[in-house]
Amino acid sequence: MQTSQSAPLFIRRVAVCGAGVMGAQIAAHCVNAGVPVVLFDLAKDDGQGGKNGIVQRAIAQLKKLNPAPLGVNALADLITPANYDEDLALLADCDVVIEAIAERLDWKRDLYHKLAPALNPHAIVASNTSGLSITSLSEALPETLRHRFCGVHFFNPPRYMQLVELIPTAATEPALLDHLETFLVSQLGKGVVRAKDTPNFIGNRIGVFGILSVFHHTQAFGLPYELVDDLTGTRLGRAKSGTYRTADVVGLDTLAHVIDTMKNQLPDDPFRAHFGVPPVLAALIEKGALGQKTKAGFFKKEGKQILRLDPAAGQYVPSGEKADDEVKDILKERDPAKRLKALHDSSHPQAQFVWAVLRDTFHYSAVHLGDIADSARELDQAMKWGFGHSFGPFEIWQAAGWRQVADWINEDIAAGKALSDAPLPAWVTSGPVWDKQAVHTPEGSYSPASNTYVPRSALPVYRRQIGAPRLVGEGPSLVPHVVHEDDAVLCWTLPAPHPQDVLLVSFKTKMHTLSPDVVRGVVRAVDLAERNYKALVVAQLDDPFSAGADLKAMLPAFMSGGVKAVEPIQKEMQDMVMRLRYAQVPVVAAVAGLALGGGCELAVHCARRVAHLESYVGLVEVGIGLVPGAGGITFSARRAAEIQAQSAPDAPLLAYVKNFVLAVATARVSKSALEAREIGFLRESDPIVMNRHELLYVAVREAANLAEQGWRPPLAARFPVAGRDAIATLKAQLVNMRVGGYISDYDFHIAEQVATAICGGDVDPGSLVDEAWMLRLEREAFLGLLANPKTQERIAGLLQTGKPVRN
């Protein structure tokens, strides 16, 4: 990628101006990515002689928020606090400056006047406004800075929401935009959509209209809010929280502000009659019921009960209504054409409601596509990345039959059922889209401006996204070269031009669990790699990495032969992880999503792990009354000894063992890959990638590099264990937890088994043991617990209900 002299060669440091909810969380995500960040706000005495009180409080609040904006809380200390009175000189070292103050045009312009003289000559300057005109904002900057200014709209919460809208002005330098997009995609892990400088851009323009449509039809059909959320949540391929719960989470005042922006700035929109803040929403805001942040909105929690607003009565009432079975069955239909036809044709009010909501979004998206986006791709991606939709509106329309759906929309417009009588634009019913019955094709997505299909971005950063999902109609982005395939695993290599001397193995079980056949498949993959390849990567084609052992697959053996019949299966899993550890080629685990139980045990025994930031790793077997039985205990003991030897050889081993005992005994699962490193499941040498779609690229190259460096497996060696004295100390601490009511008697028994095994059993402190010793202790503890009726009760409860049982 070529950049002009005005674009920074590297983005080394970021400044965020505005320590409110969004600004502080953008800063938090920067430090998650290892990017130094300075957080600015107004000067206000913090009571300790400084003027960074506002920022200091915002940084402290980051540690308390849920979902957590920080990968680990310690990262908060890496955010540099600053104020506009004393610290503007810090901007000289910042390559990107993001303004994230309140949505007041006059305030933003005043801030730009203040910042401009202190900016680095090559800095990119951007506003995180959710809907104000980027061009109008740029006019507050000196003319010499305007080519370096653009909009960069993060969605809330910035760590978890993938969408960032990048909005240029007519003066914004194209090379600068490319540079910033590359940074956002690869360094911050975002999905970037380039939007036109129109009110609310793409995501909020379409998404908020969709919410207003839901509000309208909720009232028209007389449906309760929790029922609407059930219909517009996961059943419709959208966020689990549905519509009204999502509004509560976002903040009803925030939602009203975005609605007002549409009403005030879109006077000629043919749907404008529906752009007012609905009376029920206005009434809640007037009462101060702003949603989750005030603990009341459309819903309110009292004790364990969730109440919902009854607008007619003006009070909260018990909630619990769900979709009727007839409508559930329609929404379960996997064929989009059949599903949409059934909704359209049904006389059931709930089905009519869903059809009306979908129709309105199709209609609005078609009418405004050319105004707000370069192509249908940007609009669909904005809805998927910014609002958690499984499919964008044009994808659904295309998959259900372009011509048929267009005819239905036209019928509803003619019948006065649509929210506007605006006709569908000509490109919908004529030209290439009508001929191909598609807006997305293998050659690209439809652009009204050129009346052609435009290809995806050619920026080099996207070449790293091997296997990234494609839109309906685009075709697959990855066609694996199959080396071996059976019912359990797929062994494959990447197509050219990617490295083809690295073998990959993926699991075909649900949640990528480790069934006996998967375990044998992994061993077979190691054999294949050692014969014909330089390295092996364990990588799934979709998330999660692995939810652990397949209990259902082991159940027949247990039912027929009891504990003795399970022992060979467990031993086979232990042998598998040892095979990975001592393979003659480097094995890399590409971890994303859940890596629990056996999935964690598999990963930690590989030569290296490459993990996406959103990796949730843990040894969770105690939840079903067991100890880790596939090398997790052995790993914990060995790793504790390694950390002690590396960091403090003279320190007591117990201090390091204790961390692993607590992690296992409490079934601790990391809330990020950074926390998994903190616990000890990842190492400092394990790369953490921010963009999920770069995981495979990095993992394959990590494996190839290890091979090129002459990688050899570790030599089998004995290591010290903490022994009986540590067991006694840990047991005393567990007794206190039991007496305090933190754990049950059976929890105590399981935790005692964990401590005994990780400490190496009844041996002297510092005794040297080998892996065979530890694996035997692990098997004995696992099988002993499996024979206990209370463990069997926990396993049965989990299999029956999907939830852990406490006994």
Side-chain angles (χ1 to χ4, degrees), residues 416-498:
K417 295 180 179 179
L419 292 189
S420 170
D421 60 3
L424 288 172
W427 66 262
V428 172
T429 53
S430 64
V433 171
W434 190 254
D435 294 340
K436 291 179 178 287
Q437 299 192 57
V439 290
H440 303 302
T441 67
E443 59 265 31
S445 295
Y446 180 75
S447 170
S450 62
N451 198 33
T452 58
Y453 293 90
V454 295
R456 282 177 167 262
S457 170
L459 281 178
V461 69
Y462 292 112
R463 297 174 198 160
R464 297 167 60 92
Q465 296 193 359
I466 304 173
R470 289 293 184 256
L471 298 169
V472 167
E474 283 191 299
S477 63
L478 173 65
V479 180
H481 173 68
V482 178
V483 176
H484 165 82
E485 184 174 12
D486 56 37
D487 291 340
V489 301
L490 176 70
C491 295
W492 54 288
T493 60
L494 295 174
H498 303 293

Side-chain angles (χ1 to χ4, degrees), residues 196-207:
K196 294 184 179 181
D197 189 10
T198 56
N200 288 345
F201 312 128
I202 300 174
N204 280 339
R205 180 76 174 270
I206 302 300

Side-chain angles (χ1 to χ4, degrees), residues 207-217 259 262 274-276 278 419:
V208 172
F209 170 79
I211 292 171
L212 289 170
S213 169
V214 170
F215 283 0
H216 172 83
H217 293 298
I259 294 171
M262 293 177 71
H274 298 279
F275 286 177
L419 292 189

